[in-house]
Amino acid sequence: MINLKHIFKWVTVGGSRVFLLKDINLEVKEGEFISIMGPSGSGKSTLLNVIGMLDGFDEGEYHFLQESVHTLKEKQRAQLYKQYIGFVFQAYHLIDELTVYENIETPLIYQNLKTSERKAMVADMLDRFNIVGKKDLFPAQLSGGQQQLVGIARALIAKPKLLLADEPTGNLNSKQGEEIMELFKQLNNEGVTIIQVTHSEKNAAYGSRVINLLDGRKEINQ
């Protein structure tokens, strides 16, 4: 499903290169559940953003579902991303001006669905996350945990093939966190490929494989 070959990403500071990712090689098969771990600043979120096509890279090749991402134009990449990838961010990235209902519905706007279909799908998500009573509220009126649930519902509504999660339980209490991880496990059992960035050994254990990063490199024990 995913094949990264010799991926490098750097920024230039004072005339010298600072590497964010250094010679990353990674293969992810469909249906895997992978946890990316490592200290702060090791490149975890950068790697996730590269996989999610939110960030470019400076050198290397990226193949996603037989598409050569590194050769695609931005518009083609965006299409691929919207069609196949769901993203759960640590900072929610909800749209402040939209209600909970509208935020969850957003990914469906890009698909040719009837209004009635969209309504049914949003209703299903509101129900699944027990947030029916919050559907007309705006993000600022929700607690951190509730915002995260809305973010996860939005990521899942278009039934992505690949779910990318950056510290998905970072702002949740332990019970909510556990529920989300159980949900991820269930989705993975249903065939969704999941890659999560986490600091938590407990959350990492839900995955079938752990990748450790240090200073932008994959550690050798992989």
Side-chain angles (χ1 to χ4, degrees):
M1 184 186 210
I2 290 169
N3 195 345
L4 300 179
K5 290 181 180 168
H6 305 297
I7 296 288
F8 287 83
K9 183 173 176 61
W10 61 74
V11 290
T12 306
V13 180
S16 59
R17 281 179 185 177
V18 176
F19 285 94
L20 305 176
L21 295 175
K22 219 171 189 177
D23 201 17
I24 298 281
N25 293 289
L26 176 63
E27 199 168 321
V28 179
K29 293 185 173 63
E30 207 153 328
E32 279 200 274
F33 187 160
I34 290 177
S35 303
I36 301 175
M37 298 192 80
S40 290
S42 58
K44 302 186 299 295
S45 295
T46 307
L47 178 57
L48 207 64
N49 286 344
V50 163
I51 292 170
M53 303 176 208
L54 299 183
D55 272 1
F57 47 91
D58 296 291
E59 228 171 76
E61 293 183 12
Y62 175 13
H63 300 275
F64 178 77
L65 294 173
Q66 275 69 58
E67 291 274 6
S68 301
V69 176
H70 50 286
T71 63
L72 297 180
K73 293 187 169 67
E74 199 171 323
K75 198 176 171 189
Q76 295 167 304
R77 275 203 307 270
Q79 244 169 342
L80 207 55
Y81 164 80
K82 283 172 187 160
Q83 196 176 347
Y84 294 112
I85 300 176
F87 219 123
V88 178
F89 301 93
Q90 188 177 4
Y92 323 127
H93 286 298
L94 299 178
I95 301 164
D96 292 338
E97 298 76 24
L98 299 184
T99 62
V100 164
Y101 185 99
E102 292 163 339
N103 263 289
I104 294 173
E105 186 186 33
T106 307
L108 300 180
I109 311 271
Y110 303 111
Q111 304 187 354
N112 298 325
L113 294 171
K114 294 195 189 87
T115 311
S116 57
E117 280 181 85
R118 289 210 306 260
K119 274 187 172 160
M121 289 166 82
V122 176
D124 183 46
M125 279 295 158
L126 290 166
D127 203 33
R128 189 168 192 175
F129 288 95
N130 294 321
I131 45 179
V132 178
K134 306 274 187 285
K135 70 181 170 64
D136 298 320
L137 298 181
F138 291 91
Q141 297 170 290
L142 304 175
S143 70
Q146 288 164 344
Q147 288 190 50
Q148 187 61 304
L149 293 177
V150 174
I152 292 169
R154 181 185 60 185
L156 296 179
I157 192 158
K159 300 188 167 51
K161 267 185 174 302
L162 172 65
L163 183 66
L164 301 175
D166 195 356
E167 296 286 358
T169 64
N171 299 295
L172 304 177
N173 64 39
S174 56
K175 183 175 178 295
Q176 284 173 320
E178 216 162 280
E179 284 169 6
I180 292 304
M181 292 313 301
E182 287 297 336
L183 173 70
F184 280 6
K185 189 95 185 130
Q186 187 189 330
L187 287 164
N188 183 242
N189 292 339
E190 290 166 16
V192 180
T193 307
I194 299 177
I195 303 177
Q196 66 163 346
V197 161
T198 183
H199 277 107
S200 155
E201 295 279 353
K202 191 177 169 196
N203 288 357
Y206 279 87
S208 47
R209 178 156 66 113
V210 175
I211 290 164
N212 288 295
L213 286 187
L214 188 63
D215 299 330
R217 280 184 182 277
K218 260 173 78 181
E219 295 210 85
I220 302 308
N221 60 357
Q222 294 314 305

